[in-house]
Amino acid sequence: MRIPGPERQEDGGLSAIAAVGGLHRYQLLLHEEYGPVVRFQLPGADAAVSVADPVLLEATAHLDKRPEALFAFLDPLCEAGNLQVLPTGEHTPWRRLLLSVFAGRPSHERHFAGFTESARELADRWAETVEDEEVELQKELTALSLRMIGGFALGGGGGDGEAGGEEEGGADRVVVAFEEVLTEHLGRLYQVPRTDPHAAERAEAALAYLRGRVDRVVAAHRSDGRTGRSDLIGALVEAGESPARIRDTVMMTLLAAHHTTGVAVSWTLHLLGRHSDVADRVVAELDRVLGDRAAPDYGDLRRLPYLDRVLKESMRLFPPGPYGARETDEDLALGPYEIPAGTTVFYPFWAVHLNPAYWPDPERFDPERFTPREVARRPRLAYIPFGIGPRSCEGAALATVEAQLILAVLLKRLRFRPVPGHEVTPVERFVLWARDGIRMTVRPRRA
């Protein structure tokens, strides 16, 4: 049976994607028109099949190859081979090492005090804002999560200078540098006409700056003899990885982790600002569990089930990474369809999360979708914010801990309200980003 989809275009689908505002929205429209399995063109993958049904996705969950052309825009960040497309033989031990660092409770607890300090510093600063002063959540929270993951990946207690605090510009400068690099290379991927003649030059300078920052930390790490699996560099050194692979891994970790966690918390606060009844219930739970304490202990996170449901529902509506992709290495049966070897299988996370067959009234914000009873009613892959299979996000557990902690610290102390008239529009910028930011006013709860 032939897979349905739009007519082929000479430009490889670029104009169709641009016309609707990006690949994330294009996927929603494709599946709305053609159903759960769609054949379409994609820059870098002439033959792509998008799957938005979680039951059918099960047949693809074993795939362990990413299409190289789709991830080529990340090549400049890697000198020892693009880590996003490592062959299975290299990827499996590398993934196992990352999981040993990022997925374990002991390492989370070791860094939890540093994470908490960083979150409380931001809460302190926001508590001092004058009445009706606006804050831009994405900028502030990506910088915060960068400080957190910097301490975790690079060694040190959390938000210290190694992650960008002491050098002029700090974490903010690192965030801006990543944006310069990604904007330039995503533009090349989608063949966006260049309007700024200096963009490529700035991107090269930004990449050199990022590499220099990581190199200095790696050198300091080696010189003081730190080893072991308590932080990422120590684990990589102990495993005998080359200096280039160590730097590439740190760069990719900082990139992925600070974007995803920062935007996940930003979108959650955005939704809570527009649903005061849900925000009030979160605050009531925090008050009940924490009492007069300003921040949770690590063990308290398990006692905040409603906060967890709110975060999950936010990542359903606004998945930080809106899609993923694999490549078939042999013919694959997908329901009534036969997918030939070499086909790009596209995972439209956003379309999966808005599939009305499994999420009634899918655009409605309802944390009760994630009660244990409701979760048990849905297919396993109906909710996939961190991807699926052997290429899913190694930092999922760590990102969840960070996001829950940040939300708990901020909401225990502060109230967030949307800025009147400010429109928040999701766009594709490596993550699901708000085009003009997420601006809110912040006030202390007891004010």
Side-chain angles (χ1 to χ4, degrees), residues 177-245:
F178 272 127
E179 295 303 322
E180 294 276 5
V181 173
L182 288 175
T183 298
E184 171 66 15
H185 291 281
L186 275 172
R188 295 178 190 176
L189 175 65
Y190 294 119
Q191 301 177 28
V192 176
R194 181 174 287 142
T195 58
D196 183 349
H198 303 293
E201 182 179 340
R202 283 202 310 273
E204 290 302 313
L207 181 57
Y209 164 74
L210 290 170
R211 285 176 170 164
R213 291 296 299 275
V214 173
D215 281 348
R216 289 194 293 277
V217 175
V218 172
H221 201 290
R222 288 180 177 277
S223 68
D224 66 16
R226 280 179 284 174
T227 59
R229 294 180 178 268
S230 61
D231 60 71
L232 180 58
I233 292 179
L236 292 165
V237 171
E238 187 178 81
E241 294 286 357
S242 69
R245 176 57 56 82

XYZ file of all heavy atoms in Angstrom, residues 177-245:
529
model
N 26.629 32.448 22.530
C 27.533 31.798 21.579
C 26.877 30.575 20.951
O 26.971 30.357 19.736
C 28.836 31.412 22.274
N 26.210 29.762 21.777
C 25.505 28.612 21.218
C 24.439 29.056 20.218
O 24.246 28.438 19.169
C 24.850 27.797 22.335
C 25.750 26.740 22.919
C 25.971 26.672 24.281
C 26.369 25.803 22.110
C 26.793 25.698 24.836
C 27.193 24.825 22.647
C 27.409 24.775 24.018
N 23.723 30.138 20.544
C 22.681 30.617 19.634
C 23.277 31.065 18.296
O 22.700 30.816 17.232
C 21.917 31.776 20.279
C 21.117 31.398 21.514
C 20.121 30.288 21.242
O 19.522 30.272 20.147
O 19.955 29.433 22.116
N 24.420 31.729 18.342
C 25.074 32.160 17.108
C 25.408 30.951 16.228
O 25.140 30.949 15.014
C 26.365 32.927 17.438
C 26.168 34.253 18.154
C 25.864 35.382 17.185
O 25.709 35.118 15.985
O 25.786 36.534 17.651
N 25.985 29.924 16.833
C 26.401 28.746 16.076
C 25.194 28.023 15.498
O 25.160 27.680 14.306
C 27.227 27.797 16.971
C 27.512 26.486 16.237
C 28.536 28.465 17.380
N 24.176 27.798 16.324
C 23.025 27.023 15.870
C 22.216 27.769 14.814
O 21.740 27.173 13.855
C 22.143 26.672 17.063
C 22.722 25.616 17.999
C 21.832 25.442 19.214
C 22.882 24.288 17.287
N 22.034 29.068 15.023
C 21.266 29.848 14.053
C 21.925 29.802 12.682
O 21.262 29.622 11.654
C 21.130 31.301 14.517
O 20.423 31.330 15.761
C 20.358 32.130 13.501
N 23.242 29.928 12.647
C 23.963 29.900 11.379
C 23.832 28.545 10.697
O 23.522 28.450 9.507
C 25.441 30.228 11.621
C 26.352 30.014 10.423
C 26.062 30.966 9.265
O 25.350 31.983 9.465
O 26.551 30.697 8.154
N 24.023 27.467 11.437
C 24.072 26.160 10.794
C 22.679 25.589 10.538
O 22.488 24.832 9.575
C 24.941 25.211 11.617
C 26.389 25.587 11.569
N 27.190 25.272 10.488
C 27.168 26.306 12.418
C 28.408 25.760 10.690
N 28.415 26.386 11.856
N 21.680 25.943 11.342
C 20.313 25.580 10.999
C 19.869 26.319 9.740
O 19.139 25.777 8.912
C 19.370 25.909 12.151
C 19.241 24.852 13.255
C 18.427 25.403 14.412
C 18.618 23.581 12.735
N 20.321 27.569 9.609
C 20.011 28.330 8.405
C 20.565 27.673 7.167
O 19.931 27.652 6.104
N 21.756 27.106 7.275
C 22.336 26.395 6.137
C 21.531 25.139 5.814
O 21.307 24.803 4.648
C 23.783 26.013 6.433
C 24.729 27.203 6.591
C 26.131 26.734 6.922
N 26.998 27.857 7.301
C 28.251 27.714 7.709
N 28.782 26.494 7.779
N 28.979 28.768 8.047
N 21.090 24.422 6.852
C 20.318 23.206 6.648
C 19.046 23.496 5.857
O 18.694 22.769 4.923
C 19.964 22.572 7.999
C 19.041 21.343 7.956
C 19.716 20.187 7.242
C 18.632 20.942 9.368
N 18.354 24.581 6.243
C 17.089 24.915 5.584
C 17.252 25.946 4.474
O 16.263 26.475 3.970
C 16.086 25.412 6.629
C 15.678 24.331 7.602
C 15.930 24.454 8.961
C 15.069 23.172 7.144
C 15.568 23.451 9.838
C 14.705 22.167 8.009
C 14.954 22.311 9.359
O 14.597 21.314 10.236
N 18.499 26.223 4.118
C 18.798 27.128 2.999
C 18.109 28.478 3.163
O 17.520 29.026 2.223
C 18.392 26.464 1.673
C 19.106 25.146 1.414
C 18.641 24.478 0.141
O 18.197 25.130 -0.795
N 18.745 23.147 0.083
N 18.170 29.006 4.379
C 17.585 30.316 4.658
C 18.473 31.399 4.042
O 19.689 31.407 4.269
C 17.464 30.552 6.180
C 16.935 31.964 6.464
C 16.558 29.500 6.799
N 17.917 32.313 3.258
C 18.731 33.378 2.666
C 19.423 34.204 3.753
O 18.802 34.584 4.745
C 17.707 34.229 1.898
C 16.561 33.317 1.659
C 16.501 32.393 2.834
N 20.692 34.455 3.564
C 21.460 35.190 4.577
C 21.267 36.690 4.380
O 21.547 37.227 3.321
C 22.936 34.823 4.481
C 23.806 35.530 5.510
C 25.234 35.016 5.476
N 25.322 33.686 6.046
C 26.115 32.728 5.575
N 26.842 32.955 4.507
N 26.152 31.557 6.166
N 20.766 37.342 5.420
C 20.563 38.791 5.379
C 21.654 39.537 6.120
O 21.831 40.736 5.918
C 19.197 39.155 5.985
O 19.136 38.659 7.332
C 18.064 38.529 5.167
N 22.386 38.843 6.984
C 23.461 39.464 7.752
C 24.797 38.983 7.191
O 25.152 37.810 7.332
C 23.330 39.082 9.233
C 24.383 39.748 10.101
O 25.340 40.337 9.555
O 24.261 39.665 11.341
N 25.573 39.845 6.551
C 26.823 39.393 5.920
C 27.881 38.937 6.924
O 28.856 38.290 6.539
C 27.292 40.637 5.149
C 26.654 41.793 5.857
C 25.336 41.286 6.342
N 27.694 39.287 8.196
C 28.692 38.935 9.210
C 28.274 37.734 10.061
O 28.971 37.386 11.010
C 28.951 40.130 10.118
C 29.390 41.365 9.382
N 30.604 41.445 8.733
C 28.755 42.544 9.169
C 30.715 42.639 8.157
N 29.605 43.317 8.407
N 27.131 37.104 9.737
C 26.620 36.013 10.566
C 27.584 34.836 10.614
O 27.849 34.277 11.684
C 25.254 35.565 10.054
N 28.114 34.449 9.457
C 29.027 33.301 9.420
C 30.297 33.587 10.211
O 30.797 32.719 10.940
C 29.364 32.953 7.972
N 30.796 34.804 10.098
C 32.011 35.179 10.835
C 31.765 35.137 12.338
O 32.596 34.656 13.107
C 32.430 36.583 10.401
C 33.709 37.080 11.054
C 34.087 38.469 10.582
O 33.600 38.884 9.503
O 34.859 39.145 11.289
N 30.600 35.639 12.769
C 30.277 35.617 14.197
C 30.109 34.185 14.701
O 30.513 33.853 15.816
C 29.005 36.411 14.471
C 29.194 37.918 14.467
C 28.087 38.601 15.258
N 26.773 38.134 14.853
C 26.074 38.654 13.845
N 26.585 39.654 13.151
N 24.897 38.176 13.530
N 29.523 33.333 13.864
C 29.335 31.945 14.273
C 30.681 31.245 14.461
O 30.855 30.468 15.412
C 28.485 31.202 13.240
N 31.637 31.503 13.565
C 32.961 30.900 13.706
C 33.653 31.397 14.966
O 34.292 30.623 15.693
C 33.808 31.212 12.473
C 33.351 30.482 11.217
C 33.350 28.976 11.409
O 34.350 28.428 11.933
O 32.345 28.342 11.046
N 33.523 32.684 15.250
C 34.121 33.231 16.469
C 33.460 32.644 17.707
O 34.129 32.340 18.711
C 33.989 34.757 16.466
N 32.146 32.476 17.647
C 31.424 31.903 18.779
C 31.856 30.463 19.024
O 32.038 30.044 20.178
C 29.919 31.969 18.531
N 32.039 29.697 17.948
C 32.467 28.313 18.095
C 33.867 28.238 18.688
O 34.144 27.404 19.566
C 32.419 27.613 16.737
C 32.809 26.135 16.716
C 31.933 25.337 17.656
C 32.722 25.587 15.297
N 34.760 29.106 18.239
C 36.108 29.133 18.799
C 36.076 29.482 20.285
O 36.820 28.908 21.093
C 36.968 30.138 18.037
N 35.210 30.425 20.647
C 35.070 30.800 22.061
C 34.591 29.610 22.893
O 35.143 29.316 23.965
C 34.093 31.964 22.194
C 33.594 32.189 23.595
C 34.412 32.759 24.565
C 32.300 31.822 23.964
C 33.964 32.944 25.847
C 31.839 32.010 25.240
C 32.674 32.579 26.188
O 32.216 32.755 27.468
N 33.571 28.899 22.409
C 33.042 27.761 23.144
C 34.106 26.677 23.326
O 34.263 26.123 24.417
C 31.833 27.191 22.406
C 30.569 28.051 22.404
C 29.548 27.469 21.431
C 29.980 28.169 23.793
N 34.820 26.386 22.255
C 35.859 25.363 22.360
C 36.944 25.770 23.346
O 37.438 24.940 24.117
C 36.454 25.092 20.977
C 35.542 24.277 20.073
C 36.114 24.115 18.692
N 35.357 23.137 17.918
C 35.423 22.996 16.607
N 36.244 23.784 15.913
N 34.707 22.081 15.976
N 37.286 27.044 23.322
C 38.294 27.523 24.255
C 37.857 27.384 25.702
O 38.654 27.009 26.572
N 36.575 27.705 25.968
C 36.067 27.566 27.330
C 36.147 26.125 27.809
O 36.589 25.837 28.923
C 34.610 28.048 27.404
C 34.408 29.533 27.233
C 35.069 30.326 28.348
N 34.537 30.000 29.659
C 33.459 30.546 30.203
N 32.774 31.450 29.526
N 33.065 30.207 31.405
N 35.712 25.199 26.956
C 35.732 23.793 27.348
C 37.165 23.307 27.508
O 37.496 22.586 28.457
C 34.971 22.942 26.319
C 35.122 21.456 26.631
C 33.486 23.325 26.307
N 38.048 23.705 26.598
C 39.442 23.265 26.674
C 40.090 23.682 27.993
O 40.850 22.915 28.597
C 40.243 23.846 25.511
C 40.017 23.084 24.211
O 39.436 21.989 24.272
O 40.417 23.591 23.159
N 39.813 24.903 28.449
C 40.416 25.373 29.698
C 39.939 24.555 30.886
O 40.712 24.236 31.790
C 40.108 26.858 29.897
C 40.867 27.763 28.932
C 40.822 29.218 29.358
N 39.483 29.789 29.264
C 38.956 30.270 28.151
N 39.649 30.214 27.014
N 37.751 30.793 28.142
N 38.670 24.194 30.871
C 38.148 23.391 31.968
C 38.717 21.975 31.931
O 39.097 21.420 32.963
C 36.605 23.354 31.923
C 36.061 22.424 32.995
C 36.041 24.749 32.125
N 38.803 21.396 30.734
C 39.373 20.055 30.616
C 40.826 20.057 31.076
O 41.269 19.151 31.790
C 39.260 19.548 29.168
C 40.028 18.236 29.001
C 37.794 19.355 28.783
N 41.570 21.076 30.689
C 42.977 21.157 31.104
C 43.099 21.267 32.613
O 43.944 20.614 33.237
C 43.642 22.356 30.424
N 42.242 22.094 33.218
C 42.273 22.239 34.674
C 41.893 20.925 35.345
O 42.468 20.533 36.366
C 41.325 23.355 35.104
N 40.963 20.240 34.772
C 40.513 18.967 35.318
C 41.643 17.949 35.295
O 41.855 17.223 36.266
C 39.336 18.467 34.478
C 38.469 17.461 35.173
N 38.878 16.182 35.448
C 37.198 17.566 35.639
C 37.909 15.528 36.047
N 36.868 16.340 36.174
N 42.377 17.911 34.188
C 43.489 16.970 34.087
C 44.630 17.348 35.030
O 45.264 16.484 35.631
C 44.000 16.920 32.649
C 43.059 16.203 31.673
C 43.661 16.204 30.274
N 42.850 15.480 29.317
C 42.881 14.165 29.145
N 43.700 13.434 29.869
N 42.105 13.585 28.236
N 44.882 18.645 35.163
C 46.042 19.078 35.945
C 45.888 18.804 37.433
O 46.877 18.553 38.119
C 46.293 20.576 35.730
O 45.244 21.344 36.299
N 44.653 18.831 37.944
C 44.507 18.567 39.374
C 44.195 17.104 39.669
O 43.915 16.738 40.808
C 43.453 19.479 40.013
C 42.046 19.222 39.519
O 41.807 18.164 38.922
O 41.169 20.076 39.749
N 44.239 16.280 38.600
C 44.180 14.837 38.803
C 42.823 14.267 39.122
O 42.724 13.131 39.594
N 41.735 15.008 38.861
C 40.413 14.474 39.172
C 40.050 13.363 38.191
O 40.149 13.517 36.982
C 39.345 15.582 39.077
C 39.292 16.453 40.297
C 38.246 17.523 40.120
N 38.723 18.581 39.231
C 37.965 19.579 38.808
N 36.702 19.641 39.159
N 38.463 20.515 38.020
N 39.607 12.246 38.710
C 39.115 11.138 37.884
C 37.896 10.538 38.560
O 37.505 10.947 39.642
C 40.184 10.037 37.706
O 40.549 9.541 38.995
C 41.414 10.568 36.999
N 37.324 9.545 37.919
C 36.159 8.889 38.484
C 34.896 9.309 37.760
O 34.912 10.129 36.859
N 33.777 8.731 38.176
C 32.533 8.909 37.452
C 31.583 9.872 38.154
O 30.382 9.830 37.946
C 31.861 7.550 37.242
C 32.683 6.665 36.335
C 32.050 5.309 36.111
N 32.879 4.527 35.186
C 32.716 4.495 33.878
N 31.769 5.207 33.329
N 33.503 3.768 33.119
N 32.084 10.758 38.985
C 31.213 11.722 39.648
C 30.874 12.891 38.743
O 29.936 13.626 38.996
C 31.873 12.236 40.936
O 33.090 12.879 40.637
N 31.656 13.103 37.701
C 31.334 14.114 36.707
C 31.724 13.576 35.340
O 32.421 12.569 35.217
C 32.027 15.447 37.008
C 33.535 15.316 37.032
O 34.117 15.136 35.945
O 34.139 15.401 38.115
N 31.253 14.243 34.309
C 31.387 13.719 32.957
C 32.835 13.636 32.503
O 33.273 12.620 31.953
C 30.574 14.580 31.991
C 30.594 14.166 30.523
C 30.093 12.736 30.365
C 29.764 15.121 29.690
N 33.602 14.702 32.720
C 34.991 14.689 32.249
C 35.782 13.595 32.952
O 36.573 12.871 32.324
C 35.650 16.068 32.454
C 35.011 17.088 31.524
C 37.148 15.990 32.193
C 35.574 18.482 31.663
N 35.561 13.448 34.255
C 36.258 12.387 34.978
C 35.957 11.018 34.406
O 36.854 10.183 34.248
N 34.706 10.780 34.064
C 34.333 9.490 33.490
C 34.963 9.289 32.120
O 35.418 8.191 31.778
C 32.812 9.395 33.396
N 35.008 10.355 31.311
C 35.594 10.249 29.972
C 37.094 10.026 30.041
O 37.655 9.236 29.262
C 35.277 11.514 29.174
C 33.803 11.714 28.807
C 33.560 13.152 28.354
C 33.388 10.737 27.709
N 37.766 10.718 30.960
C 39.204 10.518 31.138
C 39.487 9.093 31.585
O 40.371 8.400 31.051
C 39.762 11.531 32.148
C 41.208 11.186 32.514
C 39.684 12.949 31.592
N 38.710 8.619 32.553
C 38.906 7.262 33.067
C 38.677 6.216 31.982
O 39.325 5.164 31.961
C 37.958 7.026 34.234
C 38.179 5.701 34.953
C 37.232 5.546 36.124
O 36.064 5.157 35.884
O 37.630 5.828 37.256
N 37.745 6.508 31.063
C 37.436 5.562 29.991
C 38.456 5.605 28.859
O 38.361 4.821 27.914
C 36.040 5.847 29.437
N 39.428 6.525 28.938
C 40.472 6.596 27.925
C 40.067 7.282 26.643
O 40.694 7.072 25.594
N 39.029 8.128 26.714
C 38.603 8.848 25.519
C 39.656 9.888 25.116
O 40.370 10.435 25.958
C 37.268 9.548 25.766
C 36.098 8.598 25.998
C 35.634 7.931 24.718
O 36.170 8.248 23.636
O 34.731 7.076 24.802
N 39.725 10.161 23.819
C 40.691 11.132 23.309
C 40.299 12.544 23.738
O 39.117 12.814 24.031
C 40.737 11.067 21.787
O 39.512 11.559 21.239
N 41.271 13.476 23.787
C 40.927 14.861 24.133
C 39.845 15.446 23.237
O 38.959 16.163 23.712
C 42.260 15.598 23.975
C 43.300 14.559 24.231
C 42.740 13.294 23.655
N 39.889 15.137 21.930
C 38.875 15.676 21.015
C 37.494 15.118 21.336
O 36.500 15.844 21.340
C 39.247 15.361 19.572
N 37.411 13.818 21.623
C 36.115 13.217 21.941
C 35.596 13.752 23.282
O 34.384 13.943 23.444
C 36.240 11.691 21.968
C 34.974 10.935 22.390
C 33.764 11.243 21.521
N 33.941 11.012 20.122
C 33.839 9.832 19.506
N 33.592 8.741 20.195
N 33.985 9.743 18.190
